[in-house]
Amino acid sequence: MILTVTLNTALDITYRVPGLRPHASHRVTEVTERPGGKGLNVARVLAALGHPVTVTGFAGGSTGATVRASLAGVPGVVDALVPVAGATRRTVAVVDERTGDTTQLNEPGPVVAPAEWNAFQEAYEGLLTGAAAVALCGSLPPGVPVGAYAGLVRTARAAGVPVLLDTSGEPLRRGVAARPDLIKPNADELAELTGSHEPLRATQAARRRGARSVVTSLGAAGLLAETPEGRWRAAPPAQVRGNPTGAGDSAVAGLLSGLVEHLPWPDRLARAVALSAATVLSPVAGEFDRAAYEELLGRGVAVTAEADAA
């Protein structure tokens, strides 16, 4: 079983409009709702790949109830979310059908009380006993300590469970110091962490700060990996256009599935890039275009070894 942690779960609402214009009314052509938050997106992709997944984090209020009801219909996903008094947040994505661009609106999330945070930590420690790997994903809701991920990384390491951290800002800085097995920031998040805007130097700097391996998302240019086994760049054979929401989460699912299957790094990266690109072609986060994924793998994601930064 793979465990994904989404402390700030969400109900993802996606609107599609013919064209998004400021200061104007819009007629929505399509509305979709899905359980959201980075770890839940990761879990749905992992389940679609055939990996059993348990999801944990917080859920509360009517929005949380909707999230849990939706999760109950996802084969291969077990709900171990911890209840809170506050209401789970909503996120709204507005997709401009004319340009393909997406505008995202993210609520902050419920205020988590100290007793609720303690209850989560107890549940998390118990869930680790059956986990082959754990992913710690996304933002922290109000009330959760900024060093929360650092503590969860240490708990996973003490249990002997490989841990992937995918967050940003101060939670990432503190989490890296706890020595996770893998971090997966985008280029901006990595630059904020290390102070370097050159991706290769920044990935090396992030490893020196404590991460065993670093995989950086470069957007349409693919992924850059800095690992004890080597350095690689992986890119799709052609740029794809669509809704990029959730593409990074699908890359995390590819990396996690490759880890538990003991695939070599180039194969993990090829899978992650193919899943990410296939997610851009899907209308909502947490799903991917299966035919496009298989075609991208078949056409060959370019994975090349990388030299040291100068």
Side-chain angles (χ1 to χ4, degrees):
M1 174 269 285
I2 297 175
L3 177 65
T4 71
V5 174
T6 313
L7 295 177
N8 212 2
T9 54
L11 180 65
D12 285 347
I13 304 167
T14 303
Y15 295 134
R16 301 184 71 88
V17 298
L20 184 61
R21 304 180 308 280
H23 316 298
S25 297
H26 297 79
R27 186 172 297 278
V28 176
T29 59
E30 182 183 354
V31 182
T32 56
E33 289 187 352
R34 294 288 189 280
K38 294 176 73 64
L40 296 190
N41 293 338
V42 171
R44 290 205 303 276
V45 174
L46 284 168
L49 293 172
H51 289 275
V53 190
T54 296
V55 298
T56 191
F58 295 112
S62 59
T63 311
T66 300
V67 167
R68 302 189 82 159
S70 298
L71 283 174
V74 182
V77 175
V78 174
D79 174 2
L81 294 169
V82 174
V84 290
T88 294
R89 67 186 178 130
R90 297 162 296 179
T91 69
V92 178
V94 183
V95 180
D96 186 323
E97 295 176 334
R98 175 176 53 86
T99 65
D101 293 334
T102 300
T103 300
Q104 192 84 14
L105 304 173
N106 297 327
E107 295 180 359
V111 176
V112 176
E116 293 168 335
W117 173 236
N118 290 337
F120 168 80
Q121 291 180 90
E122 292 179 8
Y124 171 74
E125 190 167 355
L127 290 167
L128 286 172
T129 60
V134 58
L136 308 174
C137 302
S139 62
L140 300 178
V144 171
V146 70
Y149 281 135
L152 298 181
V153 168
R154 293 188 188 100
T155 302
R157 285 176 55 82
V161 179
V163 56
L164 182 154
L165 177 61
D166 184 14
T167 188
S168 60
E170 186 65 12
L172 174 60
R173 189 185 71 80
R174 297 196 186 195
V176 166
R179 305 186 68 81
D181 294 272
L182 174 62
I183 63 171
K184 208 288 299 170
N186 62 34
D188 290 340
E189 292 163 348
L190 188 63
E192 182 182 5
L193 172 67
T194 65
S196 174
H197 291 270
E198 199 292 309
L200 183 53
R201 291 192 182 92
T203 57
Q204 293 172 340
R207 281 202 68 210
R208 289 193 294 270
R209 287 172 178 261
R212 176 174 171 80
S213 298
V214 181
V215 176
T216 307
S217 174
L218 304 176
L223 299 174
L224 172 64
E226 169 80 13
T227 81
E229 289 78 27
R231 305 176 187 89
W232 294 273
R233 287 183 189 262
Q239 186 173 348
V240 295
R241 289 187 61 82
N243 180 6
T245 307
D249 304 332
S250 291
V252 168
L255 295 169
L256 270 178
S257 62
L259 184 155
V260 299
E261 293 173 30
H262 306 290
L263 296 180
W265 270 105
D267 291 346
R268 298 185 204 182
L269 296 168
R271 178 182 291 181
V273 167
L275 281 171
S276 181
T279 297
V280 173
L281 297 171
S282 177
V284 293
E287 297 180 3
F288 62 95
D289 185 311
R290 174 76 65 170
Y293 166 62
E294 293 174 354
E295 181 182 357
L296 283 161
L297 278 182
R299 289 166 59 192
V301 174
V303 182
T304 57
E306 191 78 11
D308 285 337

